[in-house]
Amino acid sequence: MSSEQEAESIRCLVAKVGLDGHDRGAHVIARAFRDAGFEVIYSGLHKAPDEIVQAAVQEDVDVLGISILSGAHDTLVPKIMEGLEEYGAAEDTLVLAGGVIPEEDRDELEEQGVAAIFGPGTSVEETIEFVRENAPQR
Amino acid sequence: MSMDADDRALLEDLLAGKHRALARVISKIENRAPGYRDLVSELYAHTGNADVIGITGSPGAGKSTLVDKLAETYRDRGETVGVIAIDPSSPFTGGAVLGDRIRMASTVGDMDVFVRSMSARGTLGGLSTATADAVKAMDAFGKDKIIIETVGAGQNEIDIVRTADTVAVLVPPGSGDDIQTLKAGILEIADVFVVNKADRDGADRTVQELRDMVQLGDESGAAGSGGHHSQEVIDAHDDWDGEPAESEDDAGWTPPIVETVAIHGTGVDAFIDELAAHRDYLVDSGEHAEQVRTRYAEEIRTLLREDVHAMLEDELAAAGGIDALAEAVRQGETDPYSIATDVLDPVETCLETLETGSDGSGTE
């Protein structure tokens, strides 16, 4: 019988990594994602890369949004990507970065597997649209 | 039942203890992805070893913090833990912010505590089915203790938490009036009461009020823990005040009241002792078998209801769609009862012909 009602929803982890206490942006995004109909898991502040990886794997999120305003993205993001790789989750997780990330660092982050970087001034709609279009089909 | 190769591999990975596979299976369960039923039915053979604990209480009662400490203590004792944390989703957009993870910080970095956040998707008791199935997945994975955490805000949550063997209800101090209003609801399903934030003013009073309530339930023969848990809690012993019970020969379970300060970990050991005591009681009294039977009966009913519901959705579409039918009612042309009868009619006719028609090779 093919009576299975599918009830799929886009799951996102909004993550704050490292010594960075600025979570207003993360809150705004979490709320906007919720209103867009996504299921949002918020990591809370000051998380280690390991903790983010653990949450992303256990929650089986489609999208991992990392918010960094501390300038430490060059060390933190690779650690997260490595961790995802370790659990076989890097391939089908859409990783986004947001916050203050200088232009010259962007290529390298994208090389490591970050799908998109949303800097200051990005509209919430743009981000939501990107997630809708690019969330992995599993 | 047969599974495709991907699902087979997924099942094997799950049984081999791969976290990602467990996470993916739970997603399939939540999404009701094609084939999830076969997957879950395969899981059943590997279940039955975990203790399932439900924790509920009003928002801000300290559930997540207590679950965190509970998980930490179980880990210290060498047991593996699964946590299913359920938060409400928006009735308007279906979106949700699942925030319980934030408070579960004691065990981060320890993959043997598997925390999964879920939200209420879909309809018709779907979440309690999904929760029960997710518990099965964690059980088959080999978790020793599985904790279901949910806000006790309504029938839906009560159904969810009843998928647990032992239910603990958190009552924050100073909620005297709340206790009155909750009386006919969530307090009835408690196997253990926890007065959390017991260092706050009013804790003693809350404990006292709960005691009175439990006692009252005993006296009237209608147990403090109703529901499917202990139907025969008459003549129960008074072990809630910590004194040795005078008679151990009685059959019932009286919900004990534990005081905790979850944020400092105070009282967590006593809480765990009571959970274990309830578990022993269930097994010794034979109530556990009854409980499990009731639960499976409910699962079967829910599955059938969902199946029939899905079939009827097709019938509804064939009859012109729900919107058109609703509009017809609004215009005064017909009424919901007539429509229900009309929509169901072909199904009933079909079933009748099946029954009278042949020797019933009716299963799929």
Side-chain angles (χ1 to χ4, degrees):
Chain A
M1 177 182 300
S2 62
S3 64
E4 291 146 359
Q5 300 162 279
E6 289 188 42
E8 205 160 338
S9 176
I10 297 177
R11 283 171 75 84
C12 309
L13 174 63
V14 174
K16 289 293 305 181
V17 220
L19 298 172
D20 168 10
H22 302 87
D23 59 353
R24 173 109 185 118
H27 285 183
V28 168
I29 283 290
R31 174 66 195 267
F33 279 4
R34 187 200 86 181
D35 290 343
F38 305 164
E39 281 178 10
V40 185
I41 296 125
Y42 177 52
S43 72
L45 281 171
H46 307 311
K47 299 298 167 187
D50 283 355
E51 296 170 30
I52 301 301
V53 170
Q54 182 178 8
V57 170
Q58 293 186 347
E59 301 287 357
D60 194 27
V61 290
D62 306 293
V63 181
L64 167 58
I66 309 166
S67 159
I68 303 185
L69 292 92
S70 65
H73 45 268
D74 282 345
T75 41
L76 295 172
V77 172
K79 281 186 186 163
I80 292 174
M81 297 311 295
E82 270 167 38
L84 290 178
E85 196 73 56
E86 189 185 326
Y87 287 100
E91 226 164 80
D92 57 358
T93 305
L94 183 73
V95 181
L96 310 175
V100 183
I101 294 169
E103 202 62 51
E104 61 262 33
D105 292 346
R106 295 192 171 201
D107 286 348
E108 200 183 323
L109 288 183
E110 279 169 7
E111 225 161 80
Q112 282 155 1
V114 176
I117 296 162
F118 298 104
T122 315
S123 79
V124 166
E125 289 76 21
E126 189 186 325
T127 315
I128 290 170
E129 202 50 43
F130 186 87
V131 168
R132 283 226 173 92
E133 278 169 16
N134 295 283
Q137 289 293 321
R138 289 167 165 173
Chain B
M1 294 258 197
S2 62
M3 292 193 292
D4 66 30
D6 285 354
D7 285 351
R8 174 71 56 192
L10 197 57
L11 179 71
E12 275 163 19
D13 280 354
L14 180 144
L15 296 174
K18 290 195 181 154
H19 293 95
R20 178 119 172 108
L22 173 58
R24 187 52 56 87
V25 167
I26 297 177
S27 293
K28 278 184 173 281
I29 288 167
E30 269 196 296
N31 292 343
R32 302 178 186 202
Y36 93 94
R37 284 190 165 201
D38 299 341
L39 204 51
V40 176
S41 71
E42 290 280 333
L43 287 174
Y44 270 79
H46 307 277
T47 59
N49 302 313
D51 289 349
V52 187
I53 300 153
I55 296 198
T56 186
S58 52
K63 297 179 293 297
S64 302
T65 310
L66 185 64
V67 168
D68 181 42
K69 294 292 187 247
L70 204 54
E72 190 185 22
T73 311
Y74 279 134
R75 287 297 295 138
D76 287 346
R77 298 179 180 195
E79 293 177 294
T80 56
V81 181
V83 177
I84 299 174
I86 297 159
D87 268 332
S89 66
S90 160
F92 305 110
T93 63
V97 172
L98 310 171
D100 292 322
R101 263 199 111 87
I102 301 179
R103 284 178 244 300
M104 298 184 192
S106 300
T107 53
V108 287
D110 177 4
M111 271 304 235
D112 283 327
V113 178
F114 192 104
V115 180
R116 182 60 179 245
S117 314
M118 286 170 76
S119 84
R121 292 185 202 164
T123 47
L124 278 179
L127 184 57
S128 50
T129 316
T131 310
D133 289 344
V135 166
K136 290 277 175 287
M138 286 188 171
D139 191 348
F141 184 82
K143 292 295 181 197
D144 300 317
K145 306 282 177 188
I146 299 168
I147 305 169
I148 305 169
E149 185 214 316
T150 178
V151 172
Q155 189 59 45
N156 210 357
E157 278 74 16
I158 289 175
D159 287 345
I160 291 162
V161 95
R162 279 168 68 166
T163 57
D165 300 323
T166 300
V167 175
V169 174
L170 263 71
V171 186
S175 50
D177 282 351
D178 287 352
I179 290 183
Q180 302 305 322
T181 57
L182 286 169
K183 231 168 200 170
I186 200 143
L187 294 190
E188 288 175 282
I189 61 168
D191 299 309
V192 179
F193 285 107
V194 181
V195 176
N196 192 31
K197 308 186 185 182
D199 54 345
R200 293 209 181 163
D201 286 350
D204 292 347
R205 186 164 162 230
T206 302
V207 170
Q208 192 54 48
E209 280 170 344
L210 283 171
R211 269 181 200 171
D212 290 349
M213 190 201 70
V214 170
Q215 224 166 9
L216 206 61
D218 283 350
E219 277 163 13
S220 65
S225 62
H228 68 298
H229 277 107
S230 41
Q231 295 89 339
E232 289 152 18
V233 187
I234 305 165
D235 187 28
H237 58 276
D238 300 333
D239 66 355
W240 39 257
D241 55 6
E243 286 162 23
E246 307 99 80
S247 58
E248 286 292 341
D249 57 337
D250 47 42
W253 171 263
T254 302
I257 300 162
V258 188
E259 292 178 59
T260 60
V261 185
I263 201 149
H264 302 310
T266 314
V268 172
D269 284 313
F271 179 39
I272 285 181
D273 290 347
E274 292 296 354
L275 293 175
H278 184 252
R279 172 81 189 178
D280 291 344
Y281 160 76
L282 283 180
V283 175
D284 293 348
S285 66
E287 212 181 281
H288 190 246
E290 176 61 31
Q291 192 183 28
V292 172
R293 246 194 322 270
T294 312
R295 194 181 304 149
Y296 285 149
E298 201 50 49
E299 273 181 39
I300 295 167
R301 285 211 180 89
T302 308
L303 280 176
L304 285 173
R305 207 155 45 219
E306 283 182 12
D307 285 351
V308 173
H309 180 76
M311 280 166 58
L312 288 178
E313 284 293 321
D314 297 341
E315 286 298 318
L316 263 178
I322 191 82
D323 290 339
L325 293 171
E327 177 63 16
V329 175
R330 194 183 73 90
Q331 300 285 355
E333 291 161 18
T334 177
D335 63 281
Y337 291 92
S338 309
I339 291 173
T341 311
D342 290 348
V343 169
L344 209 55
D345 193 49
V347 181
E348 273 176 351
T349 322
C350 185
L351 281 177
E352 271 166 30
T353 23
L354 256 183
E355 273 161 20
T356 53
S358 66
D359 51 0
S361 52
T363 46
E364 41 174 345

PDB file of all heavy atoms in Angstrom, chain B residues 81-101:
ATOM      1  N   VAL B  81      23.014   6.756  26.184  1.00  0.00           N
ATOM      2  CA  VAL B  81      21.776   7.507  26.320  1.00  0.00           C
ATOM      3  C   VAL B  81      21.315   8.071  24.973  1.00  0.00           C
ATOM      4  O   VAL B  81      22.123   8.568  24.190  1.00  0.00           O
ATOM      5  CB  VAL B  81      21.967   8.693  27.306  1.00  0.00           C
ATOM      6  CG1 VAL B  81      20.674   9.475  27.471  1.00  0.00           C
ATOM      7  CG2 VAL B  81      22.479   8.214  28.647  1.00  0.00           C
ATOM      8  N   GLY B  82      20.038   7.960  24.728  1.00  0.00           N
ATOM      9  CA  GLY B  82      19.427   8.638  23.595  1.00  0.00           C
ATOM     10  C   GLY B  82      18.409   9.641  24.120  1.00  0.00           C
ATOM     11  O   GLY B  82      17.702   9.354  25.079  1.00  0.00           O
ATOM     12  N   VAL B  83      18.374  10.809  23.530  1.00  0.00           N
ATOM     13  CA  VAL B  83      17.414  11.824  23.961  1.00  0.00           C
ATOM     14  C   VAL B  83      16.592  12.267  22.754  1.00  0.00           C
ATOM     15  O   VAL B  83      17.149  12.565  21.697  1.00  0.00           O
ATOM     16  CB  VAL B  83      18.121  13.058  24.567  1.00  0.00           C
ATOM     17  CG1 VAL B  83      17.099  14.133  24.943  1.00  0.00           C
ATOM     18  CG2 VAL B  83      18.967  12.680  25.760  1.00  0.00           C
ATOM     19  N   ILE B  84      15.290  12.268  22.901  1.00  0.00           N
ATOM     20  CA  ILE B  84      14.427  12.835  21.870  1.00  0.00           C
ATOM     21  C   ILE B  84      13.753  14.057  22.481  1.00  0.00           C
ATOM     22  O   ILE B  84      12.986  13.941  23.433  1.00  0.00           O
ATOM     23  CB  ILE B  84      13.380  11.821  21.395  1.00  0.00           C
ATOM     24  CG1 ILE B  84      14.086  10.602  20.801  1.00  0.00           C
ATOM     25  CG2 ILE B  84      12.443  12.456  20.363  1.00  0.00           C
ATOM     26  CD1 ILE B  84      13.152   9.475  20.434  1.00  0.00           C
ATOM     27  N   ALA B  85      14.104  15.221  21.975  1.00  0.00           N
ATOM     28  CA  ALA B  85      13.582  16.470  22.537  1.00  0.00           C
ATOM     29  C   ALA B  85      12.557  17.049  21.567  1.00  0.00           C
ATOM     30  O   ALA B  85      12.876  17.334  20.419  1.00  0.00           O
ATOM     31  CB  ALA B  85      14.722  17.458  22.758  1.00  0.00           C
ATOM     32  N   ILE B  86      11.346  17.186  22.036  1.00  0.00           N
ATOM     33  CA  ILE B  86      10.273  17.629  21.148  1.00  0.00           C
ATOM     34  C   ILE B  86       9.825  19.041  21.479  1.00  0.00           C
ATOM     35  O   ILE B  86       9.555  19.367  22.630  1.00  0.00           O
ATOM     36  CB  ILE B  86       9.089  16.655  21.223  1.00  0.00           C
ATOM     37  CG1 ILE B  86       9.553  15.283  20.733  1.00  0.00           C
ATOM     38  CG2 ILE B  86       7.925  17.146  20.388  1.00  0.00           C
ATOM     39  CD1 ILE B  86       8.711  14.153  21.198  1.00  0.00           C
ATOM     40  N   ASP B  87       9.809  19.866  20.469  1.00  0.00           N
ATOM     41  CA  ASP B  87       9.347  21.242  20.623  1.00  0.00           C
ATOM     42  C   ASP B  87       8.183  21.480  19.678  1.00  0.00           C
ATOM     43  O   ASP B  87       8.065  20.820  18.654  1.00  0.00           O
ATOM     44  CB  ASP B  87      10.479  22.227  20.286  1.00  0.00           C
ATOM     45  CG  ASP B  87      11.278  22.610  21.523  1.00  0.00           C
ATOM     46  OD1 ASP B  87      10.704  22.586  22.621  1.00  0.00           O
ATOM     47  OD2 ASP B  87      12.465  22.923  21.386  1.00  0.00           O
ATOM     48  N   PRO B  88       7.346  22.435  20.012  1.00  0.00           N
ATOM     49  CA  PRO B  88       6.208  22.693  19.131  1.00  0.00           C
ATOM     50  C   PRO B  88       6.644  23.330  17.819  1.00  0.00           C
ATOM     51  O   PRO B  88       7.690  23.966  17.739  1.00  0.00           O
ATOM     52  CB  PRO B  88       5.346  23.662  19.939  1.00  0.00           C
ATOM     53  CG  PRO B  88       6.184  24.167  21.036  1.00  0.00           C
ATOM     54  CD  PRO B  88       7.340  23.259  21.221  1.00  0.00           C
ATOM     55  N   SER B  89       5.828  23.129  16.794  1.00  0.00           N
ATOM     56  CA  SER B  89       6.075  23.828  15.540  1.00  0.00           C
ATOM     57  C   SER B  89       4.936  24.816  15.321  1.00  0.00           C
ATOM     58  O   SER B  89       3.865  24.684  15.898  1.00  0.00           O
ATOM     59  CB  SER B  89       6.141  22.848  14.371  1.00  0.00           C
ATOM     60  OG  SER B  89       4.888  22.256  14.176  1.00  0.00           O
ATOM     61  N   SER B  90       5.219  25.789  14.494  1.00  0.00           N
ATOM     62  CA  SER B  90       4.212  26.816  14.233  1.00  0.00           C
ATOM     63  C   SER B  90       3.034  26.222  13.482  1.00  0.00           C
ATOM     64  O   SER B  90       3.208  25.548  12.478  1.00  0.00           O
ATOM     65  CB  SER B  90       4.829  27.938  13.403  1.00  0.00           C
ATOM     66  OG  SER B  90       3.813  28.666  12.776  1.00  0.00           O
ATOM     67  N   PRO B  91       1.828  26.476  13.964  1.00  0.00           N
ATOM     68  CA  PRO B  91       0.660  25.983  13.232  1.00  0.00           C
ATOM     69  C   PRO B  91       0.448  26.733  11.922  1.00  0.00           C
ATOM     70  O   PRO B  91      -0.315  26.302  11.080  1.00  0.00           O
ATOM     71  CB  PRO B  91      -0.498  26.226  14.202  1.00  0.00           C
ATOM     72  CG  PRO B  91      -0.029  27.301  15.107  1.00  0.00           C
ATOM     73  CD  PRO B  91       1.458  27.184  15.186  1.00  0.00           C
ATOM     74  N   PHE B  92       1.149  27.846  11.745  1.00  0.00           N
ATOM     75  CA  PHE B  92       0.939  28.655  10.550  1.00  0.00           C
ATOM     76  C   PHE B  92       1.909  28.305   9.431  1.00  0.00           C
ATOM     77  O   PHE B  92       1.521  28.126   8.297  1.00  0.00           O
ATOM     78  CB  PHE B  92       1.055  30.139  10.893  1.00  0.00           C
ATOM     79  CG  PHE B  92       0.125  30.532  11.992  1.00  0.00           C
ATOM     80  CD1 PHE B  92       0.617  30.870  13.242  1.00  0.00           C
ATOM     81  CD2 PHE B  92      -1.240  30.521  11.794  1.00  0.00           C
ATOM     82  CE1 PHE B  92      -0.241  31.205  14.263  1.00  0.00           C
ATOM     83  CE2 PHE B  92      -2.110  30.851  12.815  1.00  0.00           C
ATOM     84  CZ  PHE B  92      -1.619  31.192  14.053  1.00  0.00           C
ATOM     85  N   THR B  93       3.192  28.204   9.777  1.00  0.00           N
ATOM     86  CA  THR B  93       4.177  27.953   8.735  1.00  0.00           C
ATOM     87  C   THR B  93       4.736  26.544   8.785  1.00  0.00           C
ATOM     88  O   THR B  93       5.381  26.092   7.854  1.00  0.00           O
ATOM     89  CB  THR B  93       5.370  28.918   8.868  1.00  0.00           C
ATOM     90  OG1 THR B  93       6.022  28.660  10.120  1.00  0.00           O
ATOM     91  CG2 THR B  93       4.915  30.354   8.822  1.00  0.00           C
ATOM     92  N   GLY B  94       4.504  25.844   9.889  1.00  0.00           N
ATOM     93  CA  GLY B  94       5.100  24.525  10.044  1.00  0.00           C
ATOM     94  C   GLY B  94       6.546  24.621  10.502  1.00  0.00           C
ATOM     95  O   GLY B  94       7.187  23.614  10.779  1.00  0.00           O
ATOM     96  N   GLY B  95       7.068  25.837  10.572  1.00  0.00           N
ATOM     97  CA  GLY B  95       8.442  26.018  10.998  1.00  0.00           C
ATOM     98  C   GLY B  95       8.579  25.863  12.498  1.00  0.00           C
ATOM     99  O   GLY B  95       7.598  25.883  13.232  1.00  0.00           O
ATOM    100  N   ALA B  96       9.812  25.668  12.956  1.00  0.00           N
ATOM    101  CA  ALA B  96      10.025  25.473  14.378  1.00  0.00           C
ATOM    102  C   ALA B  96      11.434  25.889  14.749  1.00  0.00           C
ATOM    103  O   ALA B  96      12.347  25.790  13.938  1.00  0.00           O
ATOM    104  CB  ALA B  96       9.818  24.014  14.746  1.00  0.00           C
ATOM    105  N   VAL B  97      11.574  26.384  15.973  1.00  0.00           N
ATOM    106  CA  VAL B  97      12.912  26.562  16.515  1.00  0.00           C
ATOM    107  C   VAL B  97      13.061  25.545  17.643  1.00  0.00           C
ATOM    108  O   VAL B  97      12.298  25.551  18.599  1.00  0.00           O
ATOM    109  CB  VAL B  97      13.139  27.986  17.048  1.00  0.00           C
ATOM    110  CG1 VAL B  97      14.478  28.061  17.783  1.00  0.00           C
ATOM    111  CG2 VAL B  97      13.121  28.986  15.920  1.00  0.00           C
ATOM    112  N   LEU B  98      14.006  24.648  17.461  1.00  0.00           N
ATOM    113  CA  LEU B  98      14.189  23.561  18.416  1.00  0.00           C
ATOM    114  C   LEU B  98      15.377  23.919  19.297  1.00  0.00           C
ATOM    115  O   LEU B  98      16.517  23.860  18.873  1.00  0.00           O
ATOM    116  CB  LEU B  98      14.427  22.251  17.667  1.00  0.00           C
ATOM    117  CG  LEU B  98      13.384  21.981  16.563  1.00  0.00           C
ATOM    118  CD1 LEU B  98      13.784  20.796  15.716  1.00  0.00           C
ATOM    119  CD2 LEU B  98      12.019  21.766  17.152  1.00  0.00           C
ATOM    120  N   GLY B  99      15.091  24.323  20.525  1.00  0.00           N
ATOM    121  CA  GLY B  99      16.135  24.936  21.335  1.00  0.00           C
ATOM    122  C   GLY B  99      16.623  24.116  22.499  1.00  0.00           C
ATOM    123  O   GLY B  99      17.390  24.614  23.322  1.00  0.00           O
ATOM    124  N   ASP B 100      16.190  22.852  22.592  1.00  0.00           N
ATOM    125  CA  ASP B 100      16.552  22.091  23.789  1.00  0.00           C
ATOM    126  C   ASP B 100      18.023  21.721  23.854  1.00  0.00           C
ATOM    127  O   ASP B 100      18.573  21.501  24.917  1.00  0.00           O
ATOM    128  CB  ASP B 100      15.702  20.823  23.864  1.00  0.00           C
ATOM    129  CG  ASP B 100      14.244  21.160  24.118  1.00  0.00           C
ATOM    130  OD1 ASP B 100      13.999  22.099  24.889  1.00  0.00           O
ATOM    131  OD2 ASP B 100      13.376  20.496  23.543  1.00  0.00           O
ATOM    132  N   ARG B 101      18.636  21.647  22.676  1.00  0.00           N
ATOM    133  CA  ARG B 101      20.042  21.260  22.624  1.00  0.00           C
ATOM    134  C   ARG B 101      20.937  22.215  23.406  1.00  0.00           C
ATOM    135  O   ARG B 101      21.945  21.804  23.972  1.00  0.00           O
ATOM    136  CB  ARG B 101      20.518  21.286  21.175  1.00  0.00           C
ATOM    137  CG  ARG B 101      20.506  19.967  20.498  1.00  0.00           C
ATOM    138  CD  ARG B 101      21.410  20.029  19.276  1.00  0.00           C
ATOM    139  NE  ARG B 101      22.572  19.221  19.506  1.00  0.00           N
ATOM    140  CZ  ARG B 101      22.608  17.935  19.254  1.00  0.00           C
ATOM    141  NH1 ARG B 101      21.580  17.309  18.771  1.00  0.00           N
ATOM    142  NH2 ARG B 101      23.698  17.245  19.509  1.00  0.00           N
TER     143      ARG B 101
END
